[in-house]
PDB file of all heavy atoms in Angstrom:
ATOM      1  N   GLU A 103      90.759 -65.479 -27.993  1.00 68.00           N
ATOM      2  CA  GLU A 103      91.999 -64.892 -27.473  1.00 68.00           C
ATOM      3  C   GLU A 103      93.005 -64.704 -28.607  1.00 68.00           C
ATOM      4  O   GLU A 103      93.670 -63.673 -28.686  1.00 68.00           O
ATOM      5  CB  GLU A 103      92.591 -65.770 -26.371  1.00 68.00           C
ATOM      6  CG  GLU A 103      91.854 -65.650 -25.056  1.00 68.00           C
ATOM      7  CD  GLU A 103      92.354 -66.616 -24.000  1.00 68.00           C
ATOM      8  OE1 GLU A 103      93.181 -67.500 -24.313  1.00 68.00           O
ATOM      9  OE2 GLU A 103      91.898 -66.493 -22.851  1.00 68.00           O
ATOM     10  N   HIS A 104      93.098 -65.699 -29.491  1.00 65.00           N
ATOM     11  CA  HIS A 104      94.005 -65.597 -30.640  1.00 65.00           C
ATOM     12  C   HIS A 104      93.584 -64.440 -31.545  1.00 65.00           C
ATOM     13  O   HIS A 104      94.432 -63.662 -32.005  1.00 65.00           O
ATOM     14  CB  HIS A 104      94.007 -66.916 -31.424  1.00 65.00           C
ATOM     15  CG  HIS A 104      94.798 -66.842 -32.683  1.00 65.00           C
ATOM     16  ND1 HIS A 104      96.172 -66.830 -32.692  1.00 65.00           N
ATOM     17  CD2 HIS A 104      94.410 -66.747 -33.975  1.00 65.00           C
ATOM     18  CE1 HIS A 104      96.599 -66.742 -33.946  1.00 65.00           C
ATOM     19  NE2 HIS A 104      95.545 -66.686 -34.738  1.00 65.00           N
ATOM     20  N   GLN A 105      92.283 -64.310 -31.795  1.00 67.00           N
ATOM     21  CA  GLN A 105      91.795 -63.226 -32.647  1.00 67.00           C
ATOM     22  C   GLN A 105      92.107 -61.863 -32.028  1.00 67.00           C
ATOM     23  O   GLN A 105      92.540 -60.946 -32.720  1.00 67.00           O
ATOM     24  CB  GLN A 105      90.282 -63.366 -32.882  1.00 67.00           C
ATOM     25  CG  GLN A 105      89.891 -64.619 -33.636  1.00 67.00           C
ATOM     26  CD  GLN A 105      90.542 -64.697 -35.003  1.00 67.00           C
ATOM     27  OE1 GLN A 105      90.535 -63.732 -35.770  1.00 67.00           O
ATOM     28  NE2 GLN A 105      91.125 -65.829 -35.321  1.00 67.00           N
ATOM     29  N   LEU A 106      91.889 -61.731 -30.734  1.00 71.00           N
ATOM     30  CA  LEU A 106      92.155 -60.458 -30.063  1.00 71.00           C
ATOM     31  C   LEU A 106      93.653 -60.157 -30.008  1.00 71.00           C
ATOM     32  O   LEU A 106      94.055 -59.000 -30.164  1.00 71.00           O
ATOM     33  CB  LEU A 106      91.550 -60.465 -28.660  1.00 71.00           C
ATOM     34  CG  LEU A 106      90.014 -60.466 -28.631  1.00 71.00           C
ATOM     35  CD1 LEU A 106      89.515 -60.654 -27.207  1.00 71.00           C
ATOM     36  CD2 LEU A 106      89.455 -59.193 -29.237  1.00 71.00           C
ATOM     37  N   ASP A 107      94.477 -61.191 -29.807  1.00 64.00           N
ATOM     38  CA  ASP A 107      95.930 -60.990 -29.838  1.00 64.00           C
ATOM     39  C   ASP A 107      96.377 -60.521 -31.216  1.00 64.00           C
ATOM     40  O   ASP A 107      97.218 -59.619 -31.337  1.00 64.00           O
ATOM     41  CB  ASP A 107      96.668 -62.280 -29.467  1.00 64.00           C
ATOM     42  CG  ASP A 107      96.544 -62.628 -27.997  1.00 64.00           C
ATOM     43  OD1 ASP A 107      96.121 -61.763 -27.208  1.00 64.00           O
ATOM     44  OD2 ASP A 107      96.865 -63.789 -27.646  1.00 64.00           O
ATOM     45  N   SER A 108      95.811 -61.110 -32.267  1.00 68.00           N
ATOM     46  CA  SER A 108      96.145 -60.699 -33.636  1.00 68.00           C
ATOM     47  C   SER A 108      95.735 -59.254 -33.885  1.00 68.00           C
ATOM     48  O   SER A 108      96.475 -58.482 -34.497  1.00 68.00           O
ATOM     49  CB  SER A 108      95.464 -61.617 -34.652  1.00 68.00           C
ATOM     50  OG  SER A 108      95.977 -62.915 -34.565  1.00 68.00           O
ATOM     51  N   LEU A 109      94.567 -58.883 -33.415  1.00 73.00           N
ATOM     52  CA  LEU A 109      94.096 -57.512 -33.577  1.00 73.00           C
ATOM     53  C   LEU A 109      95.010 -56.542 -32.824  1.00 73.00           C
ATOM     54  O   LEU A 109      95.394 -55.499 -33.364  1.00 73.00           O
ATOM     55  CB  LEU A 109      92.652 -57.383 -33.076  1.00 73.00           C
ATOM     56  CG  LEU A 109      92.056 -55.978 -33.114  1.00 73.00           C
ATOM     57  CD1 LEU A 109      92.016 -55.429 -34.540  1.00 73.00           C
ATOM     58  CD2 LEU A 109      90.662 -55.984 -32.492  1.00 73.00           C
ATOM     59  N   ALA A 110      95.373 -56.881 -31.592  1.00 72.00           N
ATOM     60  CA  ALA A 110      96.261 -56.017 -30.809  1.00 72.00           C
ATOM     61  C   ALA A 110      97.604 -55.858 -31.502  1.00 72.00           C
ATOM     62  O   ALA A 110      98.157 -54.744 -31.557  1.00 72.00           O
ATOM     63  CB  ALA A 110      96.449 -56.588 -29.399  1.00 72.00           C
ATOM     64  N   SER A 111      98.116 -56.939 -32.056  1.00 70.00           N
ATOM     65  CA  SER A 111      99.390 -56.875 -32.773  1.00 70.00           C
ATOM     66  C   SER A 111      99.272 -55.971 -34.003  1.00 70.00           C
ATOM     67  O   SER A 111     100.142 -55.148 -34.261  1.00 70.00           O
ATOM     68  CB  SER A 111      99.818 -58.286 -33.174  1.00 70.00           C
ATOM     69  OG  SER A 111     100.976 -58.251 -33.962  1.00 70.00           O
ATOM     70  N   HIS A 112      98.190 -56.120 -34.734  1.00 70.00           N
ATOM     71  CA  HIS A 112      97.956 -55.309 -35.924  1.00 70.00           C
ATOM     72  C   HIS A 112      97.839 -53.822 -35.547  1.00 70.00           C
ATOM     73  O   HIS A 112      98.439 -52.961 -36.203  1.00 70.00           O
ATOM     74  CB  HIS A 112      96.687 -55.779 -36.632  1.00 70.00           C
ATOM     75  CG  HIS A 112      96.320 -54.957 -37.821  1.00 70.00           C
ATOM     76  ND1 HIS A 112      97.015 -55.014 -39.000  1.00 70.00           N
ATOM     77  CD2 HIS A 112      95.336 -54.036 -37.988  1.00 70.00           C
ATOM     78  CE1 HIS A 112      96.475 -54.164 -39.866  1.00 70.00           C
ATOM     79  NE2 HIS A 112      95.451 -53.565 -39.268  1.00 70.00           N
ATOM     80  N   LEU A 113      97.090 -53.532 -34.496  1.00 79.00           N
ATOM     81  CA  LEU A 113      96.928 -52.142 -34.076  1.00 79.00           C
ATOM     82  C   LEU A 113      98.240 -51.557 -33.574  1.00 79.00           C
ATOM     83  O   LEU A 113      98.523 -50.380 -33.802  1.00 79.00           O
ATOM     84  CB  LEU A 113      95.843 -52.038 -33.005  1.00 79.00           C
ATOM     85  CG  LEU A 113      94.427 -52.361 -33.471  1.00 79.00           C
ATOM     86  CD1 LEU A 113      93.463 -52.366 -32.288  1.00 79.00           C
ATOM     87  CD2 LEU A 113      93.973 -51.395 -34.551  1.00 79.00           C
ATOM     88  N   SER A 114      99.043 -52.381 -32.915  1.00 78.00           N
ATOM     89  CA  SER A 114     100.343 -51.934 -32.430  1.00 78.00           C
ATOM     90  C   SER A 114     101.248 -51.565 -33.605  1.00 78.00           C
ATOM     91  O   SER A 114     101.950 -50.566 -33.561  1.00 78.00           O
ATOM     92  CB  SER A 114     100.986 -53.024 -31.584  1.00 78.00           C
ATOM     93  OG  SER A 114     102.285 -52.656 -31.208  1.00 78.00           O
ATOM     94  N   LYS A 115     101.205 -52.372 -34.670  1.00 75.00           N
ATOM     95  CA  LYS A 115     102.012 -52.062 -35.864  1.00 75.00           C
ATOM     96  C   LYS A 115     101.543 -50.768 -36.506  1.00 75.00           C
ATOM     97  O   LYS A 115     102.368 -49.957 -36.940  1.00 75.00           O
ATOM     98  CB  LYS A 115     101.908 -53.205 -36.865  1.00 75.00           C
ATOM     99  CG  LYS A 115     102.653 -54.448 -36.440  1.00 75.00           C
ATOM    100  CD  LYS A 115     102.463 -55.563 -37.447  1.00 75.00           C
ATOM    101  CE  LYS A 115     103.067 -56.844 -36.924  1.00 75.00           C
ATOM    102  NZ  LYS A 115     102.760 -57.991 -37.796  1.00 75.00           N
ATOM    103  N   ASP A 116     100.237 -50.549 -36.549  1.00 66.00           N
ATOM    104  CA  ASP A 116      99.700 -49.313 -37.113  1.00 66.00           C
ATOM    105  C   ASP A 116     100.131 -48.115 -36.282  1.00 66.00           C
ATOM    106  O   ASP A 116     100.436 -47.051 -36.828  1.00 66.00           O
ATOM    107  CB  ASP A 116      98.175 -49.359 -37.197  1.00 66.00           C
ATOM    108  CG  ASP A 116      97.682 -50.140 -38.400  1.00 66.00           C
ATOM    109  OD1 ASP A 116      98.511 -50.555 -39.231  1.00 66.00           O
ATOM    110  OD2 ASP A 116      96.449 -50.339 -38.495  1.00 66.00           O
TER     111      ASP A 116
END
Side-chain angles (χ1 to χ4, degrees):
E103 284 174 352
H104 174 74
Q105 296 301 312
L106 292 173
D107 288 346
S108 294
L109 177 61
S111 175
H112 177 73
L113 293 174
S114 175
K115 288 178 187 173
D116 280 354

